[in-house]
Amino acid sequence: MDFDYSPKTKALQQRLQQFMEDHIYPAEPAYKAELEAHTAAGQRWTPLDTIEKLKAKAQDAGLWNLFLPVDSAAVAGVEGGGLTNQEYAPLAEIMGRVVWASEVFNCSAPDTGNMETIARYGSDEHRQRWLQPLLAGKIRSAFAMTEPRVASSDATNIETRIERQGDEYVINGLKWWISGAGDPRCAIYITMGKSDPEAPKHSQQSMILVPADTPGIKIIRPLTVMGYDDAPHGHMEMSFENVRVPASNILLGEGRGFEIAQGRLGPGRIHHCMRLIGQAERALEFMCKRASSRVAFGKTVAQQTVTQERIAEARCKIDMARLLTLKAAWMMDVAGNKAARTEIAMIKVVAPSMACQVIDWAMQVHGGGGMSDDFPLAYGYANARTLRFADGPDEVHRNAIAKWELGKWGTYGRDASVPITRGA
C-alpha cells in the first residue's frame, strides 16, 4: 500500500481545506442562529439558507459530488469526483470536521449511498427521475430499512412486506430511524422489505423505490439522538399502509435486497469513519487550545499530567483509526468489497469508539462548556455515538471479525456472512 495521497487528492484537499476556512467555519455561528430562529418561529423543519447559499459556492468551486465514483458517474452521465475510495477518504475527513458540512458539497448520508444505489442498480428511468435531481441537489432522499418491532441488527428479521399485485407492489410495515425523512425536500425512499418469506434466508428481501408523496405513507414522529432532533434532516418513525408503487420500481428484481445492501454499505462505512476521524481531529484541536488557555491549581490544564496523557493517547488513536480506514479503502479499490470485508468491519468498530473517546476527553477539558452548545463537542459526541449503531452495531461487526479470524483455523466456515445491518 502506498501511504502517499495521489496528486489529484492533494490538490482537492488543498481546495477543500481552503473552502472550509473561507466559508464553512465562519458560517457556524450563522448556522446555529438560523436554526434557533427557525425553532422560535415554529419552522424547525425548514431548510437552512446558510447551507443552501454555501451549496451554490461549492458548486461554483467545483467541489460538488466528490463522493461519486468513476463507474457511477459514467452511468449517470454526469461529472463527479471520479475518485477511488482511497482518494475520496481524506476528503471525507476534511468535510467531517463540521458535522453538517458534507451536505454543502452534496456528499452527505443517506443521499450518497442512495445515489450510488440508484446509479448501480436502478433502471434508466430510475436514474432520470431520481438520480439526476439528487446529483443536482434539487431533492433529498432516505433509506427505509430499520424497524422498531424487531432487532434490525439482523436484517433478516425485517417484517415490512413488499407484495406483488398485478402491475404494482403493495408495501406494509413500520420503520424508524429513517434518516433524512424529516427534510421537506425528501422525495424518494429506498425501502427494504420481505417480498418472499418462504425463500432462502438471504433471498427474502427486496429493495424498492417509493416516492415520498405516495398515498399511505405516514410520518409518525421525529426521534431525538441524545436530545438532538437533527432538524431539518431528522430521523423519523414512519409507517407504510397499503402503499402502492409500480412494479417497475423494484431494484434489480425480487430477492436481491441483500445483494444491493452489500454494495451500498461498503463505501458508506468508509465515508462515515473518515468523517468521524475529522470530528475527532477537530476535537483534539479544541482540546489543546482550551487546555493551553485555562489555569487550574496554579498551572494550565495543558500542564496537568492527566491532560498530556489524554492528548497523547488521542493522537495515537486518531492516527491508528485513519491508517486502518485508509487500508480498508485501498483494499476495496484493489481487491473489491468482499476481499476487504474484515477491514471494513474493523473500521466500523474502531472509528466510532475512537471518536467517542477523543471527543469525551475534549469535553472534559472544556468543563461545563463542553456539555453546552457553545462548542460543537456535545453534538459531535451524540453524532459519534450514533455511529456505533448505524451501518451495524459494534457487536455484529465484532462477531463477524471473530468468525472470519477463527475460520482461518477451521473453527468457523470461511464464508461467514458479511453483516448487513441498518444503513444511514
Side-chain angles (χ1 to χ4, degrees), residues 19 52 54-64 104-105 135-137:
F19 192 96
E52 296 310 303
L54 289 172
K55 285 182 180 180
K57 293 181 183 294
Q59 286 180 293
D60 290 341
L63 298 172
W64 189 256
V104 170
F105 307 98
L135 288 168

Side-chain angles (χ1 to χ4, degrees), residues 159-176:
E159 295 178 337
T160 293
R161 288 301 311 275
I162 301 174
E163 299 178 273
R164 181 74 179 257
Q165 291 185 10
D167 293 331
E168 295 179 317
Y169 280 101
V170 181
I171 305 161
N172 284 280
L174 186 65
K175 298 286 187 181
W176 73 343

Side-chain angles (χ1 to χ4, degrees), residues 70-183:
V70 175
D71 56 347
S72 296
V75 169
V78 301
E79 291 186 6
L83 305 174
T84 64
N85 288 297
Q86 187 184 4
E87 288 175 325
Y88 177 68
L91 306 182
E93 176 182 343
I94 294 170
M95 289 183 269
R97 290 171 60 86
V98 175
V99 174
W100 49 264
S102 294
E103 184 187 347
V104 170
F105 307 98
N106 212 35
C107 290
S108 59
D111 290 330
T112 49
N114 290 342
M115 285 187 269
E116 287 196 48
T117 296
I118 298 172
R120 292 180 182 179
Y121 308 113
S123 66
D124 288 339
E125 180 184 353
H126 299 155
R127 288 190 282 268
Q128 182 64 36
R129 183 176 178 185
W130 304 115
L131 180 58
Q132 294 297 337
L134 279 168
L135 288 168
K138 294 179 179 179
I139 63 171
R140 299 208 66 186
S141 62
F143 185 61
M145 183 176 180
T146 307
E147 299 183 2
R149 292 174 179 164
V150 298
S152 298
S153 57
D154 176 2
T156 62
N157 286 334
I158 289 174
E159 295 178 337
T160 293
R161 288 301 311 275
I162 301 174
E163 299 178 273
R164 181 74 179 257
Q165 291 185 10
D167 293 331
E168 295 179 317
Y169 280 101
V170 181
I171 305 161
N172 284 280
L174 186 65
K175 298 286 187 181
W176 73 343
W177 294 111
I178 310 308
S179 303
D183 195 314

Side-chain angles (χ1 to χ4, degrees), residues 134-387:
L134 279 168
L135 288 168
K138 294 179 179 179
I139 63 171
R140 299 208 66 186
S141 62
F143 185 61
M145 183 176 180
T146 307
E147 299 183 2
R149 292 174 179 164
V150 298
S152 298
S153 57
D154 176 2
T156 62
N157 286 334
I158 289 174
E159 295 178 337
T160 293
R161 288 301 311 275
I162 301 174
E163 299 178 273
R164 181 74 179 257
Q165 291 185 10
D167 293 331
E168 295 179 317
Y169 280 101
V170 181
I171 305 161
N172 284 280
L174 186 65
K175 298 286 187 181
W176 73 343
W177 294 111
I178 310 308
S179 303
D183 195 314
R185 297 162 299 180
C186 181
I188 185 70
Y189 302 107
I190 298 180
T191 305
M192 189 167 180
K194 284 188 177 179
S195 51
D196 185 359
E198 305 303 319
K201 187 176 181 180
H202 290 89
S203 298
Q204 297 179 5
Q205 308 278 352
S206 298
M207 286 196 192
I208 194 164
L209 296 171
V210 183
D213 59 358
T214 306
I217 297 175
K218 180 182 179 182
I219 300 296
I220 298 172
R221 58 170 177 150
L223 301 164
T224 59
V225 180
M226 299 179 75
Y228 296 99
D229 62 11
D230 280 342
H233 182 70
H235 312 279
M236 297 292 166
E237 181 175 357
M238 56 189 295
S239 63
F240 294 80
E241 298 179 6
N242 294 317
V243 174
R244 292 179 174 271
V245 298
S248 59
N249 281 23
I250 201 84
L251 293 175
L252 282 186
E254 290 190 20
R256 308 287 292 275
F258 273 80
E259 176 185 346
I260 297 169
Q262 190 56 46
R264 182 186 189 277
L265 290 176
R269 285 168 177 157
I270 295 288
H271 302 172
H272 274 318
C273 290
M274 290 304 288
R275 284 193 287 261
L276 284 172
I277 290 164
Q279 282 186 52
E281 191 71 66
R282 195 174 186 215
L284 178 56
E285 292 175 12
F286 271 95
M287 183 179 180
C288 290
K289 292 175 182 177
R290 183 76 167 185
S292 299
S293 66
R294 309 287 279 189
V295 175
F297 305 104
K299 55 184 177 181
T300 65
V301 176
Q303 291 174 309
Q304 307 289 345
T305 303
V306 65
T307 303
Q308 293 176 2
E309 289 177 352
R310 289 174 176 175
I311 289 172
E313 191 67 19
R315 177 76 278 148
C316 294
K317 286 178 177 289
I318 292 171
D319 284 7
M320 287 189 291
R322 180 186 292 110
L323 287 170
L324 185 59
T325 306
L326 290 173
K327 181 191 176 186
W330 171 76
M331 286 193 66
M332 289 169 62
D333 292 333
V334 300
N337 290 11
K338 186 174 183 180
R341 64 184 186 177
T342 303
E343 284 73 17
I344 293 171
M346 287 165 63
I347 65 172
K348 266 302 283 122
V349 172
V350 168
S353 294
M354 175 280 297
C356 282
Q357 182 63 84
V358 172
I359 296 170
D360 181 78
W361 283 334
M363 290 169 67
Q364 198 72 11
V365 164
H366 281 70
M371 302 299 293
S372 75
D373 283 341
D374 286 2
F375 302 92
L377 299 171
Y379 182 56
Y381 182 90
N383 178 72
R385 188 62 183 83
T386 301
L387 266 296

